[in-house]
Amino acid sequence: MASVILYGLLCRINSSRALEEALQVRIDFRWLAEGRRIDHSTICKFRIGHAPNFTPATTVDIDSGIIVDSEDARSSVFRYIEGFYNSKRIHQTLNYKTPTHFEQLHETQLAT
């Protein structure tokens, strides 16, 4: 539940009702909620019960830096996904190769 709320904040989705809608229509939120159907009242109760944990305090960054606001968090997550995760993960659309390996194969094909 906390991951859904935090990811919602990164996506600038603040209200419980908007999070409920995102959980119904957006695949990224569905994946994060592991397919569970969560309504807005459950989200609201969770927020109220864990209010001190969702205050805008500073958090440790992935790269051991400090996250000051949501824009810093967004750029940190983007750097992680694009710089590390996507470069190591195989992609079905790239014929089950990592992007780095696919680009290397493409460059060698262009050179010949």
Side-chain angles (χ1 to χ4, degrees), residues 1-2 9 14 16 25 29 36 39-40 44 61-62 72-74 82-83 85 88 90 102 104 107 109:
M1 179 74 76
L9 292 172
N14 299 321
S16 299
V25 297
F29 278 90
R36 291 175 286 156
D39 65 348
H40 68 276
C44 188
D61 186 6
I62 295 166
D72 287 343
R74 180 187 302 271
E82 291 299 322
Y85 180 72
K88 306 279 187 245
I90 60 172
F102 183 80
Q104 290 171 349
E107 287 175 5
Q109 288 175 352

Side-chain angles (χ1 to χ4, degrees), residues 36-55:
R36 291 175 286 156
R37 298 185 63 82
I38 305 170
D39 65 348
H40 68 276
S41 63
T42 305
I43 295 168
C44 188
K45 288 175 188 174
F46 184 86
R47 275 186 170 159
I48 291 169
H50 298 86
N53 299 325
F54 294 107
T55 57

Side-chain angles (χ1 to χ4, degrees), residues 1-111:
M1 179 74 76
S3 59
V4 171
I5 294 170
L6 291 173
Y7 184 67
L9 292 172
L10 285 174
C11 295
R12 297 189 176 152
I13 299 174
N14 299 321
S15 74
S16 299
R17 290 185 189 270
L19 277 174
E20 178 185 20
E21 181 182 351
L23 284 163
Q24 292 173 358
V25 297
R26 290 183 51 174
I27 192 72
D28 50 349
F29 278 90
R30 281 184 178 179
W31 177 83
L32 200 55
E34 299 173 346
R36 291 175 286 156
R37 298 185 63 82
I38 305 170
D39 65 348
H40 68 276
S41 63
T42 305
I43 295 168
C44 188
K45 288 175 188 174
F46 184 86
R47 275 186 170 159
I48 291 169
H50 298 86
N53 299 325
F54 294 107
T55 57
T58 58
T59 311
V60 178
D61 186 6
I62 295 166
D63 301 325
S64 300
I66 299 294
I67 296 176
V68 178
D69 58 10
S70 63
E71 199 56 43
D72 287 343
R74 180 187 302 271
S75 66
S76 177
V77 169
F78 178 80
R79 280 194 321 270
Y80 171 75
I81 290 172
E82 291 299 322
F84 175 74
Y85 180 72
N86 275 347
S87 64
K88 306 279 187 245
R89 184 176 66 96
I90 60 172
H91 294 264
Q92 179 181 5
T93 56
L94 301 178
N95 203 15
Y96 296 99
K97 294 175 180 46
T98 65
T100 307
H101 186 236
F102 183 80
E103 288 174 3
Q104 290 171 349
L105 288 174
H106 185 69
E107 287 175 5
T108 56
Q109 288 175 352
L110 289 177

